[in-house]
Amino acid sequence: MDLSGCGHRRAPDRGAAPSPWGPPSLYPPGTFAAGADPGCEAPAAEAAQAARWPRDFPAVAARTAVPVRLTFAEHEAQWRHDAEALAELTAHFTASPRVKVARQPAAGHRISLGWAAASYHRRALAFFEDCLRHPACARSRRPAPQPTRA
């Protein structure tokens, strides 16, 4: 599983910074043109879920029993991704056989909309391929459930 643009602790308020997405030069022309706002208002259910995310994350992460790759853009401004926050974040994935933190250079919060999209997707697929080639990577650290007798 690859997660990008998502952490568990919000970054401090950036004040009057020009864009939460990073420098406009990281995106193709027109990405932020009128009528093409990638930050459009989220549906109510998604907004409610996002508000609960910092509280719900630890339980969700603890149940994640597949390899995890967490990608943070070089210019990520929505989520904390300092060493302390990343150590805390990765520690929650107790059932995952592998947790990797990746940095995407020359990218803003919305990696898939920017010039770095192709590179990011190749790296995410390479992680998946590594997991396929190395079966131990994909096995859960949890013991297999035992069959029950009727």
Side-chain angles (χ1 to χ4, degrees):
M1 171 171 54
D2 183 277
L3 299 168
S4 69
C6 185
H8 74 307
R9 299 277 182 249
R10 293 266 181 209
D13 184 14
R14 301 168 339 101
S19 169
W21 314 117
S25 62
L26 300 174
Y27 301 90
T31 302
F32 299 102
D37 181 10
C40 63
E41 192 171 328
E46 185 178 334
Q49 184 180 31
R52 292 189 312 268
W53 181 246
R55 182 195 71 214
D56 293 348
F57 169 78
V60 172
R63 291 191 314 266
T64 302
V66 297
V68 175
R69 180 177 184 265
L70 301 156
T71 304
F72 289 91
E74 178 181 353
H75 297 277
E76 173 61 57
Q78 305 280 329
W79 299 97
R80 282 187 50 200
H81 51 100
D82 55 272
E84 179 184 342
L86 292 178
E88 184 181 326
L89 175 71
T90 59
H92 287 291
F93 289 96
T94 55
S96 177
R98 180 179 182 196
V99 179
K100 177 181 180 177
V101 174
R103 303 285 184 167
Q104 185 64 45
H109 176 71
R110 301 299 280 277
I111 298 173
S112 291
L113 294 179
W115 295 114
S119 172
Y120 161 71
H121 288 103
R122 282 192 300 270
R123 291 171 190 208
L125 289 170
F127 177 77
F128 176 66
E129 182 180 26
D130 287 347
C131 291
L132 291 177
R133 289 179 183 245
H134 305 285
C137 168
R139 283 197 297 269
S140 173
R141 289 185 218 169
R142 274 189 204 171
Q146 300 299 314
T148 56
R149 295 187 177 217

